[in-house]
Amino acid sequence: TQLLEQSPQFLSIQEGENLTVYCNSSSVFSSLQWYRQEPGEGPVLLVTVVTGGEVKKLKRLTFQFGDARKDSSLHITAAQPGDTGLYLCAGAPNAGGTSYGKLTFGQGTILTVHP
Amino acid sequence: EPEVTQTPSHQVTQMGQEVILRCVPISNHLYFYWYRQILGQKVEFLVSFYNNEISEKSEIFDDQFSVERPDGSNFTLKIRSTKLEDSAMYFCASKSSYNSPLHFGNGTRLTVT
């Protein structure tokens, strides 16, 4: 069974601060996805990282996939109150076929950015 | 933008009753999934469905669960005899191809009393 440990579980910061959320596993994933989930809604995909060492940027958000494809991080620069929400990482197993859709989720990080 | 639609948004049922959760995936999508999230816990994979059959299922997806795509647009999850521990948020998801991203619905909150 593949597990993804996401940390921290809660993060409360002031507007303008930087933060990093981590997602770690002992298993190799073929890809790793980051989602944001608002209350009462389903997860919304932010980014998919596929290649070991890959870095993707989405405005103030930077996503990195570890060289060994076992871990990932999400870094937010100059956080804003609008970044407040639940962030989830999810890994796709290192197998082919329709297993690609079978995601293993981390526990989530609840981020609160205070004005 | 097309979206995955789930109904109802909240379902309350008594233990032992059957429930059917409904989903309308995005129209040109070919891969369909059910996930669930028990309050305070991780999102968990239940089942994947492709080419009119189950392609993979988790240990959670026992004989009490079944899925169906009865008419080419709806995708349903049936729980035959609900238990208290089935109370959770159930998410339907779909994607268009092997490498494309998953699109999630807004979920159905199932409460078993």
Side-chain angles (χ1 to χ4, degrees), chain A residues 1 3-5 33 35 37 40-43 45 48 86 88 95-107, chain B residues 31 33 35 37 41-45 48 50 55-56 59 89 91 95 98-107:
Chain A
T1 303
L3 293 174
L4 263 177
E5 296 297 325
Q33 299 167 27
Y35 290 84
Q37 185 178 13
E41 298 181 10
L45 181 68
T48 300
L86 173 65
L88 298 165
T98 55
S99 290
Y100 196 84
K102 178 191 170 184
L103 298 176
T104 298
F105 279 83
Q107 305 96 310
Chain B
Y31 298 80
Y33 305 84
Y35 285 79
Q37 186 176 30
Q41 298 186 23
K42 295 182 182 185
V43 176
E44 302 173 289
F45 168 80
S48 60
Y50 172 72
S55 48
E56 193 168 7
E59 294 170 352
M89 197 75 169
F91 292 106
K95 63 178 185 175
Y98 177 80
N99 285 325
S100 59
L102 269 180
H103 294 258
F104 283 84
N106 283 338

